Amino acid sequence: MASSAHGSSRAKKATRADVAKLAGVSESTVSYVLTGARPISDETKERVEAAMTELGYTPNAMAQALARRQAGLLALLFPVRERGFDASDFDYVEAATKVTAEQGYQMLLWPNAVEDTDSLNKIASQGLVDGVILMEVREEDPRVETLREAKIPFVLIGRTNDSDSLTYVDADFALWGPMAIEHLASLGHTSIGMISAQPDLFNAGYGPGVKTEASVIAAAKAAGVTVLIKHVNSSMRAGYAAMEELYNEMPGMTAILGLNEPAIIGALEAASAQGIRIPEDLSVLTFGISEEAATMTMPAQSSLGVDGEALGTMAAEFLLARLGGDDRTTLQHLAPPFMVDRGSTGPSRT
Amino acid sequence: MASSAHGSSRAKKATRADVAKLAGVSESTVSYVLTGARPISDETKERVEAAMTELGYTPNAMAQALARRQAGLLALLFPVRERGFDASDFDYVEAATKVTAEQGYQMLLWPNAVEDTDSLNKIASQGLVDGVILMEVREEDPRVETLREAKIPFVLIGRTNDSDSLTYVDADFALWGPMAIEHLASLGHTSIGMISAQPDLFNAGYGPGVKTEASVIAAAKAAGVTVLIKHVNSSMRAGYAAMEELYNEMPGMTAILGLNEPAIIGALEAASAQGIRIPEDLSVLTFGISEEAATMTMPAQSSLGVDGEALGTMAAEFLLARLGGDDRTTLQHLAPPFMVDRGSTGPSRT
DNA sequence: CTGTTAGCGCCTTCAT
DNA sequence: ATGAAGGCGCTAACAG
């Protein structure tokens, strides 16, 4: 069964006409048993279905798309190169995929870089996909203008600086700083280090980085505590080094905030190498980290973030609304933060 | 400029007929200035191009695909959920994307699970994509049969147990064990631990895991050294614990092999926590790890693996050959391993 | 150098 | 409950 001796992979596929002929019905009838858009007698339906399986018929996606004037495809833009694609990212993607699949859409992952607007323009303006979800959004994001010009419905997970007229879901980073600082301040911490996003992402206007830092700084000021921020490359090594810098520049540090997954791992390693114990000597609170990443280290990290699955779902629903022609309402959502206590923060023992 | 007050994103796009009318030429002429498949006078070419830009015309991908009987799309199957998508994975993808783009193909990333053969069958048999590249291949991989039935050209990066008739590129794992063991044995190591792939991947027949272990075991036997293998979950925590187990069960251990990125990080952390120094007290050699991952830990890990970019390129070339109708030749390639010494191995001081 | 004419495979409105 | 017929937007011979 494994090999058909003549073996031409160019065997032409059965078409709707073939099925119609074999079943002795008209072509449109074949379509109607597929779509169910019209009542068909059981008898002919059976004949048609038999013919379809006999011929191994599958409708041609391109022809369908052309006739229906819609591709049934959605693209999810995720510039994979920047920082990979981890379990927490997949929370969003999986949720969005699930929701849109229920409406008959297939989701494609577009891994190209943010700057690759040429490719993007192609898929967006050629009608290859019906709608787009953007992830890893920057404060100034060239993709937005490209998609706008292509007149294709799109929604952001994240947001740009100028997002009043955009459709998006995002975390409410403005609340992250206050919530985190209050938590630590109430435990008595007054000297707090922060291992933040890598410099280039920050400079490129990476939203979570910029917005979270801003709210941390404001909250620290309000609470009267000191925060020392380091922009650290996304590597354990850099995190390790940053930890030493922090202790040098702020000897009384009793807590750190994290906004950089790999770097935090390195920082924890540095702490452990120095015999610094968590949470006895140092409290650790990490932003926007997945369950997996948070419990992967030793000790596990208490964290503050959003529900990626919920956000992904909502993004998909917004997009479906746009695809459905809802053009008037503003669809925007900021998700509130929630904190998960995994025991890595405790009272200050200054 | 930001908002067009009437704001219907449903504005119908210009078609080839519109361009032809505006330029005062026939429709086919419009096509021919686009494809350049026929000489066109400079004068009419300019008129047509002017009309195109005036109307913002872009050819409809679906209609093109239908008429050409080819979509110009390729899918790269990568089940993202299993272990994420990291920098080393992107080496393959980027290389393959580049090569195929030069032939006018767009590469899509298909993140669905290996078991999701329904979705796969859809995109494969509906003519949505012209060819497929599979990654994360298992010894028994259901996707292969699905693609075969769909009669669509495909190539594996990796291979199944029964791959004689398949088109693939893969690492030559059979050489990994000997090369690694010889390296360590020649340094005097005789008690070697191995932190291997997680149990479920291994049981699912994850090729790199199964094949590498087999070659390690054989090579160890031949060299007369002892290897103790642990199947470890892909987390730092699990690696940390595995390290302790290894020392308990094999107190004289002086070297470890790694085949599990996160677990190795945990293992290194465990070593550092115990005051075990690398490479003085323990040699570390990791398989199939990217430059980034290898240099991310402290100390960096010497590693043994393949050139992902080269493999991705070759996979793409194989696929292009199949798409070009080359159906007879066997296209298979096993890439030799190469070792990168980052100083984490040294003489045994038993 | 340029136009005309069949399709590509399917959807969908009219008819019956 | 079923057929027939006209597109969807573009390609690719076939004619000049």
Side-chain angles (χ1 to χ4, degrees):
Chain A
M1 223 51 89
S3 75
S4 58
H6 42 67
S8 162
S9 64
R10 291 275 167 281
K12 68 169 64 76
K13 295 210 47 178
T15 130
R16 193 184 59 160
D18 300 330
V19 176
K21 200 181 305 168
L22 205 169
V25 298
S26 81
E27 291 194 31
S28 57
T29 299
V30 175
S31 288
Y32 285 120
V33 350
L34 243 14
T35 63
R38 178 197 260 189
I40 301 279
S41 77
D42 287 356
E43 196 241 343
T44 67
K45 178 182 293 184
E46 276 168 28
R47 278 220 315 287
V48 170
E49 279 167 350
M52 295 200 298
T53 61
E54 182 176 339
L55 296 173
Y57 170 74
T58 338
N60 179 300
M62 297 300 175
Q64 271 181 319
L66 184 57
R68 287 188 177 139
R69 268 160 293 268
Q70 90 161 24
L73 295 177
L74 267 25
L76 194 143
L77 272 38
F78 195 110
V80 177
R81 181 52 122 190
E82 280 178 11
R83 53 167 200 70
F85 188 97
D86 60 30
S88 25
D89 299 319
F90 199 65
D91 288 346
Y92 294 81
V93 176
E94 195 169 45
T97 302
K98 185 155 167 270
V99 172
T100 52
E102 283 162 8
Q103 302 299 316
Y105 288 100
Q106 281 277 1
M107 183 81 77
L108 308 175
L109 226 156
W110 201 261
N112 295 27
V114 170
E115 294 77 15
D116 188 2
T117 44
D118 279 353
S119 301
L120 177 57
N121 182 55
K122 229 176 201 172
I123 68 157
S125 63
Q126 294 200 346
L128 226 168
V129 298
D130 301 321
V132 174
I133 296 179
L134 279 77
M135 289 185 73
E136 303 298 285
V137 178
R138 303 201 183 149
E139 298 207 303
E140 313 269 343
D141 201 308
R143 297 174 295 179
V144 168
E145 191 49 28
T146 303
L147 292 170
R148 230 185 216 137
E149 282 169 5
K151 292 182 183 165
I152 185 173
F154 65 98
V155 26
L156 323 196
I157 297 182
R159 68 199 132 126
T160 63
N161 263 340
D162 177 29
S163 55
D164 290 353
S165 65
L166 296 177
T167 303
Y168 67 81
V169 302
D170 199 5
D172 196 350
F173 299 106
L175 301 182
W176 286 22
M179 189 180 255
I181 293 295
E182 268 166 37
H183 175 71
L184 292 177
S186 73
L187 288 170
H189 298 279
T190 55
S191 294
I192 302 170
M194 178 163 176
I195 296 197
S196 186
Q198 60 189 37
D200 60 338
L201 273 183
F202 196 87
N203 294 333
Y206 180 59
V210 178
K211 294 196 175 70
T212 303
E213 273 193 25
S215 79
V216 163
I217 291 169
K221 195 167 185 178
V225 305
T226 309
V227 172
L228 180 55
I229 297 180
K230 292 284 175 193
H231 290 168
V232 181
N233 281 327
S234 291
S235 76
M236 289 178 59
R237 177 181 301 278
Y240 195 105
M243 194 65 162
E244 296 185 330
E245 281 181 45
L246 282 173
Y247 269 116
N248 282 340
E249 299 176 24
M250 187 190 252
M253 180 171 77
T254 59
I256 57 169
L257 294 170
L259 190 60
N260 185 327
E261 235 177 270
I264 275 294
I265 298 174
L268 293 180
E269 195 170 334
S272 127
Q274 302 294 319
I276 295 163
R277 312 206 318 165
I278 295 164
E280 289 79 0
D281 307 320
L282 183 72
S283 286
V284 176
L285 180 59
T286 306
F287 290 116
I289 199 178
S290 70
E291 174 73 23
E292 284 88 341
T295 56
M296 178 175 164
T297 58
M298 323 202 30
Q301 305 156 57
S302 292
S303 66
L304 192 163
V306 291
D307 180 350
E309 186 181 332
L311 269 192
T313 300
M314 187 161 294
E317 286 167 350
F318 282 5
L319 184 56
L320 288 175
R322 292 296 183 229
L323 289 168
D326 175 354
D327 248 7
R328 314 187 195 174
T329 49
T330 298
L331 297 175
Q332 298 179 341
H333 177 75
L334 288 185
F338 70 89
M339 197 183 299
V340 180
D341 190 339
R342 297 193 182 84
S344 65
T345 63
S348 163
R349 299 193 176 174
T350 319
Chain B
M1 222 51 90
S3 75
S4 59
H6 40 69
S8 162
S9 63
R10 291 277 166 279
K12 67 169 64 76
K13 297 209 47 179
T15 133
R16 191 184 60 158
D18 301 330
V19 176
K21 201 180 304 169
L22 206 169
V25 298
S26 82
E27 293 194 28
S28 58
T29 298
V30 176
S31 289
Y32 286 121
V33 350
L34 242 14
T35 63
R38 179 196 259 189
I40 301 279
S41 76
D42 286 357
E43 196 241 341
T44 67
K45 179 183 292 185
E46 276 168 27
R47 278 220 317 286
V48 170
E49 279 167 350
M52 294 200 297
T53 61
E54 181 175 341
L55 297 173
Y57 169 73
T58 338
N60 179 299
M62 297 301 175
Q64 274 181 319
L66 185 58
R68 284 189 177 137
R69 266 161 293 268
Q70 95 162 31
L73 295 177
L74 303 176
L76 193 145
L77 272 38
F78 195 111
V80 178
R81 179 52 123 187
E82 280 178 10
R83 52 167 201 72
F85 188 97
D86 60 33
S88 26
D89 298 321
F90 200 63
D91 287 346
Y92 294 82
V93 175
E94 197 168 44
T97 302
K98 184 155 167 272
V99 173
T100 52
E102 282 161 9
Q103 302 299 316
Y105 288 99
Q106 281 277 2
M107 183 81 76
L108 309 175
L109 226 156
W110 202 261
N112 295 27
V114 170
E115 293 77 16
D116 189 2
T117 44
D118 278 354
S119 301
L120 176 57
N121 182 55
K122 231 178 198 169
I123 68 157
S125 63
Q126 295 200 346
L128 226 168
V129 299
D130 300 322
V132 174
I133 297 179
L134 279 77
M135 289 186 71
E136 303 298 284
V137 177
R138 302 199 184 152
E139 298 208 302
E140 312 269 341
D141 201 307
R143 296 173 295 179
V144 168
E145 191 50 30
T146 303
L147 292 170
R148 231 185 216 137
E149 283 170 5
K151 291 180 183 166
I152 185 175
F154 65 98
V155 27
L156 324 195
I157 296 182
R159 66 198 133 126
T160 62
N161 263 340
D162 177 28
S163 55
D164 289 354
S165 64
L166 296 177
T167 302
Y168 67 81
V169 302
D170 199 5
D172 196 350
F173 298 106
L175 300 182
W176 286 21
M179 188 180 256
I181 293 293
E182 267 165 38
H183 175 72
L184 293 177
S186 74
L187 288 169
H189 299 278
T190 55
S191 293
I192 302 169
M194 176 163 176
I195 296 197
S196 186
Q198 60 189 37
D200 59 338
L201 273 184
F202 196 87
N203 293 332
Y206 181 59
V210 177
K211 294 197 176 68
T212 304
E213 273 193 25
S215 80
V216 164
I217 291 170
K221 197 167 185 179
V225 305
T226 308
V227 172
L228 179 54
I229 297 179
K230 292 283 175 194
H231 291 167
V232 181
N233 281 327
S234 290
S235 75
M236 291 178 57
R237 178 181 298 279
Y240 196 104
M243 194 65 163
E244 298 184 329
E245 280 180 47
L246 283 172
Y247 270 115
N248 282 340
E249 298 176 25
M250 187 190 254
M253 181 171 77
T254 59
I256 57 170
L257 294 169
L259 190 59
N260 184 326
E261 234 177 272
I264 276 295
I265 298 174
L268 293 179
E269 194 170 334
S272 128
Q274 303 294 317
I276 296 164
R277 314 207 317 167
I278 295 165
E280 290 80 359
D281 307 319
L282 183 73
S283 286
V284 175
L285 180 58
T286 305
F287 291 115
I289 199 177
S290 70
E291 175 73 24
E292 284 87 341
T295 56
M296 176 177 167
T297 57
M298 322 205 27
Q301 305 154 59
S302 292
S303 66
L304 193 162
V306 291
D307 180 351
E309 187 180 331
L311 270 191
T313 301
M314 187 161 294
E317 285 166 351
F318 282 4
L319 184 56
L320 289 174
R322 292 298 183 227
L323 290 168
D326 174 353
D327 248 8
R328 314 189 197 171
T329 49
T330 299
L331 298 175
Q332 299 178 341
H333 177 76
L334 288 184
F338 70 90
M339 197 184 299
V340 180
D341 190 339
R342 297 192 183 85
S344 65
T345 63
S348 163
R349 299 191 176 176
T350 316

